[in-house]
Amino acid sequence: MTALKDLFTLIARLILGGVLLAHGWQKYNDWTIAGVQEKFQQMGTPSPEISAQVATYFELAGGALLILGLLVRIVGPILFVEMLGAFWFAHKDNGIFVTDGGWELVAVIGAAGLAIAAAGAGRISLDYLFATPVRRRREKKEAEERAAENQAAADQAIAQQNAAYASAPASAPASTTYSNSSDAETTQFQSPGTVAGTTPTHDAHGTQGTHGTQPVDPDAPTTQWPGTSGGSGRN
């Protein structure tokens, strides 16, 4: 859609600029400035010696500017004012149609000038080319402002979350009991001081324990526990 808008604006500028340039060249080359001044004087235009030159040179320069797409937002309103003067001093009493000397042509040219001024020159223009650095700086500034706003919102959300955590009542952590369920039976190691009459046995997992009352074998190997007397190492 943007591409079509640029294309349509370009076509409108070329047509309007070409018409305006042709009228300016007609005043300058065919009628001459002196002839335009005489016509303006006959129509009752104020200061015809000045207005003739202003109208001629503005149409030449304004037409070229419209074609190039430069300063169209300034050229458009000035063009409308010129056509308003042409309507008032030359065409208002002659009806609408241009064949009768009416005001339809000057009205269309003036309206087109306002429309192009309102729409802008489009991207296929010198206005767009020269405004690119300014536009990029503006876009960069806007992006930085949006980033700062997003960061501020994120910081505020984090602060609110931290405040909510801080205001929550403290609760004691639930105690966790860890157990080794690999053996269903309690493991008991043979150590010095074991009640006489018990002897170590091994369960299905190879864990040493005690089962019943059996004679103690004095030649059986025992484990020397740290801090106990009676030698070190294995018997």
Side-chain angles (χ1 to χ4, degrees), residues 101-186:
W103 48 264
E104 65 175 342
L105 178 60
V106 295
V108 170
I109 293 176
L114 288 180
I116 291 180
R123 294 185 298 179
I124 312 175
S125 65
L126 292 181
D127 276 348
Y128 185 85
L129 178 63
F130 293 153
T132 297
V134 178
R135 183 174 57 256
R136 287 179 177 174
R137 286 196 297 269
R138 183 175 66 250
E139 292 174 351
K140 181 180 179 181
K141 183 178 179 181
E142 292 175 352
E144 292 175 350
E145 291 176 352
R146 287 195 298 269
E149 292 176 356
N150 294 336
Q151 184 62 41
D155 293 342
Q156 184 178 6
I158 293 174
Q160 292 176 352
Q161 189 176 20
N162 292 337
Y165 286 148
S167 62
S171 58
S175 60
T176 304
T177 303
Y178 297 95
S179 62
N180 186 359
S181 60
S182 61
D183 295 325
E185 299 179 359
T186 302

Side-chain angles (χ1 to χ4, degrees), residues 71-87:
L71 302 176
V72 297
R73 295 188 184 276
I74 298 175
V75 174
I78 296 176
L79 177 58
F80 176 78
V81 172
E82 184 193 11
M83 294 300 105
L84 185 62
F87 161 79

Side-chain angles (χ1 to χ4, degrees), residues 33-119:
I33 299 296
V36 175
Q37 177 179 342
E38 183 179 353
K39 288 180 179 296
F40 279 13
Q41 187 173 5
Q42 292 175 358
M43 292 185 295
T45 305
S47 304
E49 65 281 356
I50 298 176
S51 57
Q53 296 186 52
V54 169
T56 300
Y57 294 125
F58 169 74
E59 290 177 2
L60 287 171
L65 290 174
L66 287 173
I67 292 173
L68 296 174
L70 182 62
L71 302 176
V72 297
R73 295 188 184 276
I74 298 175
V75 174
I78 296 176
L79 177 58
F80 176 78
V81 172
E82 184 193 11
M83 294 300 105
L84 185 62
F87 161 79
W88 184 260
F89 293 107
H91 303 285
K92 66 179 176 125
D93 296 329
N94 299 327
I96 297 177
F97 301 111
V98 67
T99 53
D100 299 328
W103 48 264
E104 65 175 342
L105 178 60
V106 295
V108 170
I109 293 176
L114 288 180
I116 291 180

